[in-house]
Amino acid sequence: MFGGPLEFINELKDIIPSNGFSDPSPITLTPTGITAGYSLALPAIQVGICSISNISIGAAFSIPFTGSPPSARFNFAERHSPFNITVSMFGGGGFVAVVIDTGGMREIEASLEFGAKIEIDLGVASGGVYIKGGFYFHLKDESGVQSIYFEGFIEMGGHLSIIGLISVSLVFHLALAYEKDGATKTSRLFGQASLTVEVEVLFFSTSVEVKVERKF
């Protein structure tokens, strides 16, 4: 049971059908192994003022033909299709995936982002601004060789349109990341910042992007 800000997770059990995984799972056969997996999409739920959509859970079991141990993968949403949480003008989303085998944890990948967005329409002019932040984490262990990547970021942006003839948009992205390569036994800390400005007037448009990166 979850409490406090995570209490909404308790509601998930009520929308997961008891026979949701009863259908035969699809099987993928390749020269290197066989994998059986299943993915279940869940309907959007409303818990008070909190709305959660694009929810999916999945599981897969792989048996390799290369001599490696069998492995299992579990996921809540996916990197290419994260879940979304909306609370009034605040929103966010993310995903979590875990791979384990007989030797223990082999891979963890997770991402979570959150922020706020405001839109305004004055008739002759409309626009909006947003700000969001989050993190991405990826740990992979291959035969005892461990690689880690962790990134935290913040992004701000806005757009303005005047009677549909002139449009201006601006995006600022700032990220700080740590990377450890187990194969080469090296690690680095690096920061990235980018600013993108786009202007559109009638049928003419142009954009300018400036990037800066510092490595340690």
Side-chain angles (χ1 to χ4, degrees), residues 113-138:
E113 67 175 38
F114 47 88
K117 182 179 181 180
I118 298 177
E119 297 282 343
I120 186 172
D121 189 347
L122 302 177
V124 295
S126 62
V129 295
Y130 73 90
I131 179 171
K132 65 179 181 179
F135 72 87
Y136 171 77
F137 175 78
H138 189 195

Side-chain angles (χ1 to χ4, degrees), residues 5 8 11 45-53 84-92:
F8 72 90
E11 306 292 334
I45 63 173
Q46 186 78 31
V47 184
I49 62 174
C50 177
S51 174
I52 311 174
S53 61
N84 299 312
I85 296 181
T86 303
V87 183
S88 184
M89 68 176 183
F90 301 98

Side-chain angles (χ1 to χ4, degrees), residues 1 4 9 13 38 46 50 57 74 102:
M1 297 295 293
I9 297 179
K13 69 180 185 301
Y38 197 93
Q46 186 78 31
C50 177
I57 55 178
F74 306 95
T102 54

